[in-house]
Structures are given as C-alpha cells and as structure tokens.
Amino acid sequence: MKVSTSPVTGPGGAAGLAPRTGELIARLRDEENRPALVGYLPVGFPDVERSVEALLTLTDNGVDVIELGIPYSDPVMDGLVIQEAAQVALDAGVRVAHVFEAVRRIREHAPHVAVLVMTYWNPVLRHGVREFATDLAAAGGSGLITPDLIPDEAGDWIAASDELGLDRVFLVAPSSTPDRLALTARASRGFVYAASLMGVTGVRTSVGDRAESLVTDTRAAGAEHVCVGIGVSTGAQAAEVGRWADGVIVGSALVRPLLGDEPWEERLRNLAGVTRDLASGVRSARAAHGAH
C-alpha cells in the first residue's frame, strides 16, 4: 500500500518538522477524500526494541497517526488487552525516556507520520510539564492525548503546548454536555477524541450508537476535527466510522496480535495484516458515499 508523504509543517524534531495533526487530517480529507487512521501501541511491550519494530510495522502498513502509549499502572480508560501489554512493559522496566527514544525512531523512519503520545497525566507531572513538552518536541512528537486531564485543569499544559507548538487532544464522551463539548473543542488542537461509548477500550462487535451524533455535536460545538475511538477492530468498522469521522482510532485490535506465544516475526506479520485491513477500510470509507 502506497502512503502519501506530502510534507506538513509543525514544531521541529529529530527528523525535521513534525506533522501538525490537524493539517495532516485536513490534507487527507482534501487530497485523498478519506479519514486518518490513528493506531495505538504502548511503548515497551514486550520490550522497547520490539515495541519500536511493531510501531514501524504500523507506519509501513498504512497508519497515518501513531498514538504512542505510556504504560501506566492505574489506567482508567484501558481495557484488558491494553492492560496486559502495559503490565508486561512495566515489568520489563520501561521508562518515560524510552517514549522519547521511540518517538525519535518513528519520525526518522516515517517522517510523514504524526506521533501523539497518549498518557495519563501523572507521568507528565512527575517528569515536569514543561520539561516533558520540551523533550517531546525535541524528539519530533506532535503532541499529547490526555484521557484523564480535562481542559479546566490543564493550564500548565496549555501554556507549554502553546509555547512549543504542540497539539493537545482532549476527550469527549456520549455523556458530555453541550457546554463541555464547547469547552473541549476550544481547548483542543489537532483533533478532539470522541469516545464512542462509555467504558474502557476493547474490541466490540459494533461501535456505539451515539458515536455519529457525538461527532456531529462536537463539530457543532466548534471542533474542526473529531476522531472516534473505542470499539473499532476491523476494516469494515473503520469504513463505517470513517464515513462521518475525521479519523478512526484503533488500539486493542492492534495490541492483540502481539500477545501470545507465537514467534515474534509471526506476530509482526499478523499485526501487519490487521493494519492493512484497517487502512483499506479508511481508504474505502467515502469512495462509495461521496465526499464528507
């Protein structure tokens, strides 16, 4: 599968200018009439080196935006599949510094791909908010997704991300009020993460019924780009969501092929196959339904 590599501008990094996520999503919409595929994997699973191999497998098979997870011992959003992988990474001794190393290597390998770090807020606080932002920008990262940080309490991060030109992705859910949608849309840069249903990440047989209306409501509240996560696991689901969302976020379905006892190369091949199926889904999402 050939992936467009047109440059976009943004903060400097180890591999040159890091893509601004919003510009990347807009270009995919305008030039390719499709949503972005956002793929999640945790750094350090099953170890740092092999996690980078898995991340590069995503970039080589059609992912547009990497959501690079920092393993965390007390997740509030991660389902069992991601929890299992994160615990393996923690037991192996992964550290925040490994995240910046992974960002740098992804950007060197695939400079057209945006890398957003997905992290609970405590690791950022412990590292130092401005220090974290500085190290992320220096590595070539595009910004952060912060599932447990609401805009009302994000003053330090908003200031640091403004200073360093980083994206900041906040979340909305089916329970979000109109005022909350508007506040989150104003505070976000890159896109707003719409959780398709209440609950934790994981493979579902269908995406939540409220997902499409949540995207519509979030756009009406002022968001320029809205990407949908939780529950997408197949190319068919990616195509369904991609008809009305600006991006399709997939996590557990990408982590699952890496679990188990098969030889690592076989697990990477399985990951590549799942990724290509999802990439095919987003690329066909609007072909039969006209422009978004």
Side-chain angles (χ1 to χ4, degrees):
M1 177 177 298
K2 179 175 175 56
V3 178
S4 174
T5 57
S6 299
V8 289
T9 57
L17 296 176
R20 282 279 179 81
T21 315
E23 293 181 14
L24 175 59
I25 290 172
R27 181 175 58 75
L28 294 175
R29 178 196 62 205
D30 297 341
E31 297 181 5
E32 301 183 27
N33 187 30
R34 69 172 178 89
L37 177 60
V38 184
Y40 168 93
L41 284 177
V43 70
F45 170 76
D47 54 49
V48 173
E49 185 60 33
R50 284 188 286 179
S51 70
V52 172
E53 291 176 0
L55 289 158
L56 300 189
T57 297
L58 297 188
T59 69
D60 289 347
N61 288 277
V63 163
D64 305 295
V65 179
I66 292 286
E67 183 183 346
L68 181 60
I70 298 181
Y72 192 60
S73 58
D74 302 293
V76 297
M77 183 179 177
D78 300 337
L80 292 176
V81 170
I82 292 176
Q83 286 182 35
E84 181 178 347
Q87 192 59 54
V88 171
L90 290 169
D91 292 343
V94 70
R95 296 290 183 269
V96 169
H98 294 130
V99 175
F100 305 125
E101 175 188 341
V103 172
R104 189 174 292 107
R105 292 179 63 181
I106 295 167
R107 294 279 295 119
E108 290 172 351
H109 181 82
H112 59 287
V113 170
V115 184
L116 293 167
V117 171
M118 198 291 274
T119 179
Y120 296 98
W121 190 236
N122 194 48
V124 180
L125 281 177
R126 293 192 63 180
H127 193 82
V129 176
R130 194 181 185 288
E131 290 79 4
F132 194 105
T134 300
D135 290 344
L136 179 61
S142 294
L144 290 183
I145 301 171
T146 49
D148 63 343
L149 180 68
I150 57 176
D152 326 46
E153 300 174 355
D156 290 345
W157 166 231
I158 288 173
S161 57
D162 280 344
E163 179 182 349
L164 293 162
L166 294 168
D167 293 328
R168 47 179 183 258
V169 177
F170 297 108
L171 277 70
V172 295
S175 60
S176 298
T177 65
D179 287 345
R180 176 59 53 182
L181 294 179
L183 174 63
T184 305
R186 286 196 302 272
S188 296
R189 183 163 57 219
F191 62 87
V192 174
Y193 186 127
S196 67
L197 41 74
M198 306 300 290
V200 298
T201 61
V203 172
R204 305 289 199 282
T205 56
S206 64
V207 179
D209 295 337
R210 276 275 291 131
E212 184 171 2
S213 59
L214 178 60
V215 170
T216 300
D217 293 345
T218 307
R219 287 197 183 111
E224 186 173 3
H225 306 296
V226 186
C227 300
V228 172
I230 301 184
V232 176
S233 60
T234 67
Q237 289 177 327
E240 173 195 345
V241 173
R243 286 200 293 272
W244 37 264
D246 297 297
V248 181
I249 304 169
V250 183
S252 296
L254 296 173
V255 175
R256 178 166 287 173
L258 300 175
L259 300 172
D261 299 324
E262 296 85 359
W264 179 244
E265 292 303 320
E266 182 177 339
R267 284 185 263 175
L268 287 181
R269 285 194 295 273
N270 293 336
L271 174 64
V274 173
T275 308
R276 286 195 296 271
D277 179 48
L278 293 163
S280 176
V282 298
R283 283 160 175 77
S284 66
R286 298 171 190 166
H289 297 81
H292 175 70

